[in-house]
Amino acid sequence: MARVSIFASKFIILSLLSSFATILVTGDQDHEFVRSMDRKLLGLKKEKLSHFKLYWHDILTGPNPSAIQVVPPANTSKTAFGLVRMIDNPLTLGPEMSSKLVGRAQGFYAQASQEDIGLLMAMNFAFIEGKYNGSTITVLGKNTVLSTVREMPVIGGSGIFRFARGYVQARTHKFDLNTGDATVEYNVYVLHY
């Protein structure tokens, strides 16, 4: 009986060592929740670079504002640190509000800097025009409003813009000091399939 238990314990130890060796050899490719895929299975073709020039209208005043304050500043800082605004801003082809509407910038921006006017921007450019209708480009980054040109990353998208990456450049076209309303030119450079 003692021989059987010694043999069994050696067999168990050998089996365990063999299992660990197999895990080390196969690495992290042997998980049930992940696998490599051919991009053609998702209908992904050749990657291309697209450039969009849009105008973003941040309207704080009037009967139908497109940006509303949802969190007031937490203190009396000169930068309004802590302020959060929810947005549903029109995206047009030209700088005038009467220009053709091609989508909406939906999300929020928050005053995230105590030193300057530095906004955290989190928004989807939701398109409503042509083959882009229903597709989105997602932008997340810092917008130092008083800089001439601000750059923020494109971190993804949906529809035509699945797997999107790239960046946007924002330039203030018009800013009304009395109302806070602004029109910003956005140049979007996006790699997508």
Side-chain angles (χ1 to χ4, degrees):
M1 191 64 116
R3 282 188 151 183
V4 172
S5 70
I6 292 173
F7 176 74
S9 65
K10 286 183 180 180
F11 179 75
I12 291 171
I13 291 171
L14 185 59
S15 294
L16 287 173
L17 289 174
S18 173
S19 297
F20 290 136
T22 302
I23 291 170
L24 291 173
V25 169
T26 58
D28 64 354
Q29 297 297 318
D30 191 30
H31 294 292
E32 293 177 19
F33 60 89
V34 66
R35 65 186 171 120
S36 295
M37 287 185 66
D38 183 352
R39 67 181 183 195
K40 292 175 187 168
L41 293 174
L42 294 176
L44 300 176
K45 297 177 182 162
K46 185 179 178 185
E47 193 173 39
K48 58 187 161 198
L49 174 65
S50 295
H51 170 236
F52 296 86
K53 183 176 179 180
L54 309 164
Y55 289 86
W56 182 91
H57 300 272
D58 197 40
I59 305 163
L60 307 180
T61 60
N64 192 23
S66 65
I68 60 166
Q69 181 175 299
V70 293
V71 177
N75 55 36
T76 57
S77 79
K78 62 182 178 180
T79 65
F81 177 69
L83 175 126
V84 178
R85 284 200 173 103
M86 192 64 58
I87 64 169
D88 186 17
N89 289 349
L91 295 171
T92 62
L93 288 181
E96 296 78 27
M97 270 301 298
S98 59
S99 182
K100 183 173 185 172
L101 181 72
V102 294
R104 302 196 73 84
Q106 299 171 327
F108 68 90
Y109 58 83
Q111 176 51 31
S113 175
Q114 296 184 61
E115 303 298 320
D116 59 13
I117 308 298
L119 303 176
L120 165 65
M121 307 286 291
M123 60 186 167
N124 288 315
F125 285 4
F127 293 96
I128 60 169
E129 186 62 33
K131 72 178 185 177
Y132 303 108
N133 185 22
S135 296
T136 64
I137 293 173
T138 303
V139 176
L140 175 67
K142 182 179 180 180
N143 182 351
T144 310
V145 176
L146 298 179
S147 297
T148 304
V149 179
R150 291 89 67 192
E151 186 172 299
M152 293 166 275
V154 169
I155 62 165
S158 67
I160 288 178
F161 301 111
R162 287 183 194 136
F163 297 105
R165 64 189 193 284
Y167 68 99
V168 301
Q169 288 183 329
R171 288 178 178 82
T172 302
H173 178 77
K174 181 174 73 173
F175 178 70
D176 186 323
L177 285 171
N178 294 321
T179 64
D181 292 356
T183 302
V184 180
E185 176 188 303
Y186 271 83
N187 281 282
V188 182
Y189 300 92
V190 61
L191 286 164
H192 61 99
Y193 291 95

